[in-house]
Amino acid sequence: MSQYNLTEGPIPHHIRQLAVPASIGMFFNTMYNVVDTFYAGRISTEALAGMTISFPIFFVILGLSSGIGNGTSALAAIALGSKDDKTFHGLAYNAVLLGIMAILLITLSSGVLIPLLFSLSGASGQAYDLGVSYTKVIFYGSAFFVTNSIINGLLNAQGDTKSYRNFLIIGFILNLILDPLFIFGWFNLPRLGTVGVALATVIIQGIGSVYLSLRLHKSHYFKLEDFRRCRPSKSLIHDLIKQGLPASLNIATIAIGIFIINFFILRFAPGPVTIAAYGASMRIEQIALLPAIGLNIAVLTITGQNYGAGKYDRIYEVKKISLYIGITMMFIAGLVIYPFAPIFLKFFNSEADVIQAGTTYLRIEAFALPTYIILNVLTSLLQGIKKPNFTVVVGLYRQIFMPVILFQGLAGMLNMGIKGIWLSIVVINWSAVIMALAYTFYKLRKELGTNQNH
């Protein structure tokens, strides 16, 4: 594997080098989820509703694993920019220790946490039963999710986003085979329904752990003998927690935010139709937001390496170019989604009520698409200069505090119903962008100095 030095050379080239493979990988990851959603819809509307309700609960795993992986990626990139191989390997070793603790926490809490959260969401009947069964299997496979996140963080720090892309492509292909195999009981296997969807995911994540481990072993900077010489370090564990905890908490706020949305959907539109429409619509929205994920990884890695190298002008350049690229892409995505929303939704569910409800959501949400890319770029910049805490602040504002206020106000007090919820999301996101722009400008000027050209 070639060396990725992101402290030299043109920034646009580095953004493409990292963001394009990451976005392609995330496309296949999203299509992976689309396949799951497609087959869940074929099982029943209740199955689709149950898996939709499980989405924020799954964020418990995603939050802990992503937090460790995100913290590892940022700090390892800074270490590589400073040419500090010892710290790089120390971070890798101690990230694994943190990962083991996270795995134990997730696994031991699953029996109590999952039924409790489903009950709190307002789920009932078959949607509750199918969702709980699916989520329990996912939790039992948490070791693979955490492992993959840590290894991917170490690869991203080196500028390698292609290995994870390859895994996600392979995972998508395998899921096309394993989902119907387990769901419908092909070749005399038992029919597992939503449990089959979860089992396929856990098996694929396990395969990914093996593949990514081999890629890390062959990477330019990672040396197994240096890794083996490392020991537990309180200071490195503290740094990883300090850097990764805000990312984990941000994921937690997203999970709570989706939980709140689900709660208000079920309150103002009881039954499986609207919640199923929201679940299908989120898959379409995820495809549109793929560039945001790719840019997020690219900005974090390039910023981290250049921060470690003390090349602050390049960080301002990253900010300017990535925002321009991202906003342009989201504008185009909105122009596509608005007229074609009903066609996209038919892929997931043929019921007229589900399509109508999903179309209403997507056409309103199209106006919020640029906000996601702006927030991702700005929070990644802050994480890259070891200032991640604002991520939590904006997450609490956008996912919890303002939704509780505006959802109740527009949907309830003003009798706007479900449309009030969708309009609230747009208003909240744009106000969060204004906050983030002001704070990032202040923080960059304070930490890096004024740059008149950017």
Side-chain angles (χ1 to χ4, degrees):
M1 183 181 296
S2 60
Q3 179 177 351
Y4 294 88
N5 181 4
L6 305 175
T7 63
E8 303 290 344
I11 294 295
H13 169 75
H14 291 322
I15 291 177
R16 288 194 302 271
Q17 183 185 47
L18 273 66
V20 172
S23 294
I24 292 173
M26 286 298 109
F27 169 77
F28 281 95
N29 185 60
T30 300
M31 293 308 296
Y32 181 109
N33 294 327
V34 165
V35 170
D36 284 353
T37 303
F38 172 83
Y39 280 114
R42 293 303 178 270
I43 296 170
S44 66
T45 298
E46 288 77 14
L48 180 57
M51 287 182 59
T52 299
I53 295 168
S54 78
F55 189 61
I57 301 171
F58 173 68
F59 268 58
V60 173
I61 296 175
L62 188 62
L64 288 172
S65 60
S66 295
I68 299 172
N70 191 284
T72 302
S73 181
L75 295 178
I78 293 170
L80 292 178
S82 304
K83 303 188 184 304
D84 188 350
D85 290 343
K86 181 178 180 181
T87 298
F88 173 78
H89 287 91
L91 287 165
Y93 185 89
N94 285 276
V96 171
L97 295 181
L98 274 180
I100 293 172
M101 288 185 273
I103 292 165
L104 291 173
L105 177 63
I106 293 168
T107 305
L108 294 175
S109 66
S110 61
V112 175
L113 187 63
I114 294 170
L116 174 63
L117 292 177
F118 266 89
S119 297
L120 290 174
S121 72
S124 61
Q126 195 173 13
Y128 172 92
D129 294 334
L130 294 173
V132 168
S133 299
Y134 166 83
T135 310
K136 281 185 176 180
V137 176
I138 293 292
F139 267 55
Y140 294 149
S142 62
F144 301 128
F145 290 92
V146 174
T147 299
N148 293 344
S149 186
I150 293 170
I151 298 174
N152 187 46
L154 293 168
L155 291 171
N156 282 345
Q158 301 179 56
D160 176 16
T161 56
K162 295 180 180 178
S163 293
Y164 198 65
R165 174 204 63 188
N166 295 342
F167 158 59
L168 293 176
I169 293 173
I170 295 168
F172 165 72
I173 296 171
L174 289 175
N175 199 41
L176 285 173
I177 301 169
L178 295 181
D179 258 4
L181 183 69
F182 294 141
I183 292 170
F184 303 115
W186 289 358
F187 303 109
N188 295 320
L189 290 172
R191 295 172 63 94
L192 298 177
T194 57
V195 171
V197 180
L199 181 60
T201 295
V202 170
I203 291 172
I204 291 167
Q205 288 293 321
I207 294 171
S209 294
V210 175
Y211 170 75
L212 292 173
S213 296
L214 292 173
R215 296 302 298 164
L216 179 63
H217 180 64
K218 295 180 180 179
S219 66
H220 179 83
Y221 291 104
F222 185 82
K223 302 293 185 292
L224 185 58
E225 56 272 20
D226 291 342
F227 177 82
R228 287 173 173 169
R229 283 195 291 265
C230 294
R231 294 292 179 268
S233 167
K234 289 183 180 180
S235 62
L236 289 180
I237 289 176
H238 174 267
D239 289 344
L240 284 166
I241 293 174
K242 183 179 178 181
Q243 183 72 29
L245 184 59
S248 290
L249 293 176
N250 182 52
I251 295 292
T253 63
I254 294 173
I256 295 171
I258 298 173
F259 187 88
I260 290 171
I261 291 173
N262 288 343
F263 174 83
F264 276 94
I265 290 174
L266 292 171
R267 177 181 174 185
F268 290 101
V273 170
T274 304
I275 196 75
Y278 176 59
S281 299
M282 280 198 300
R283 299 308 185 197
I284 297 168
E285 190 177 4
Q286 284 174 344
I287 296 174
L289 291 172
L290 290 174
I293 300 172
L295 279 175
N296 179 37
I297 295 170
V299 170
L300 175 60
T301 305
I302 298 170
T303 300
Q305 284 201 16
N306 283 282
Y307 182 71
K311 297 186 176 182
Y312 298 154
D313 284 353
R314 292 172 64 81
I315 296 175
Y316 282 101
E317 190 176 354
V318 170
K319 170 177 168 286
K320 179 181 178 180
I321 294 172
S322 58
L323 283 175
Y324 174 79
I325 294 172
I327 292 171
T328 301
M329 288 182 172
M330 290 303 99
F331 179 75
I332 295 171
L335 291 179
V336 173
I337 285 176
Y338 197 93
F340 295 110
I343 297 174
F344 295 149
L345 285 161
K346 286 180 182 178
F347 178 79
F348 299 102
N349 197 294
S350 59
E351 293 185 18
D353 290 344
V354 173
I355 294 171
Q356 182 179 357
T359 298
T360 300
Y361 169 79
L362 285 173
R363 286 180 171 170
I364 294 174
E365 182 68 2
F367 293 95
L369 289 179
T371 65
Y372 297 103
I373 205 120
I374 296 171
L375 291 169
N376 269 7
V377 167
L378 297 180
T379 54
S380 294
L381 278 166
L382 293 169
Q383 289 168 342
I385 63 171
K386 300 177 72 173
K387 301 296 177 185
N389 292 336
F390 182 71
T391 304
V392 181
V393 175
V394 75
L396 290 170
Y397 171 84
R398 189 167 69 91
Q399 304 288 353
I400 300 175
F401 295 142
M402 289 303 294
V404 170
I405 296 171
L406 278 189
F407 289 177
Q408 182 61 40
L410 295 186
M413 296 175 64
L414 296 182
N415 295 316
M416 296 180 67
I418 290 297
K419 284 187 178 180
I421 296 176
W422 307 151
L423 288 170
S424 296
I425 295 173
V426 177
V427 173
I428 292 166
N429 278 13
W430 277 110
S431 64
V433 163
I434 295 171
M435 287 173 50
L437 284 169
Y439 181 82
T440 304
F441 176 80
Y442 161 76
K443 210 66 181 176
L444 289 179
R445 185 172 60 176
K446 180 180 178 182
E447 299 295 328
L448 310 183
T450 304
N451 188 308
Q452 298 295 334
N453 296 322
H454 302 93

